[in-house]
Amino acid sequence: MIEITLALGAAKKAFDLIEKAVSTGQQASGLMDQLGNFYDAKDKVQEAKEEHKRKPNGAYGAESVESYALKVIQAEIACDDYESKIKKMFMAQGKTPLYHKMLRIRAEERDRRAAARRELLKIQREKLQRQRELKNVIIALFALAICAGSAIFMAAAAVG
């Protein structure tokens, strides 16, 4: 289970560092480490949301499913607000093209990673299918051997 509170805390900490640096005159484009930390934390919030979709009745510790879902939604809203403010910081410094380029690259990388995950899942499914087929062939051969052995035994008993 992804701890949503920790992910949101990391996003807030990264945002606060970005906001403080920009307010002291630092260029938003010079804060790539903090931006990376923010987006890493934002991705963790998204993972928590996806986890909730995959396992709506999963293990949430002592809290209810509804409580966990509410935390996910609150974290998502907060991250969207932080991201909107970051965008405004870039815009205020005339770095809108840089921000849009970052968004485009982010979307491309997200798509690439999703395709890689799909490919990995496909390979895993194919491997599982081959294992099942091999198991079925072994069972069929074993059953054939038993049948052939039984037929030979019955033929030998009938002759003798």
Side-chain angles (χ1 to χ4, degrees), residues 76-96:
E76 189 176 51
I77 290 169
C79 284
D80 288 346
D81 183 49
Y82 296 149
E83 187 172 26
S84 174
K85 289 176 181 176
I86 289 171
K87 179 180 180 181
K88 288 177 185 172
M89 288 178 209
F90 273 84
M91 291 171 68
Q93 294 182 349
K95 303 287 185 183
T96 304

Side-chain angles (χ1 to χ4, degrees), residues 45-60:
V45 169
Q46 186 61 33
E47 285 178 38
K49 184 179 175 187
E50 294 300 318
E51 180 178 308
H52 178 70
K53 284 181 184 177
R54 283 191 312 273
K55 301 177 190 175
N57 296 319
Y60 299 99

Side-chain angles (χ1 to χ4, degrees), residues 153-160:
F153 178 75
M154 288 169 54
V159 173

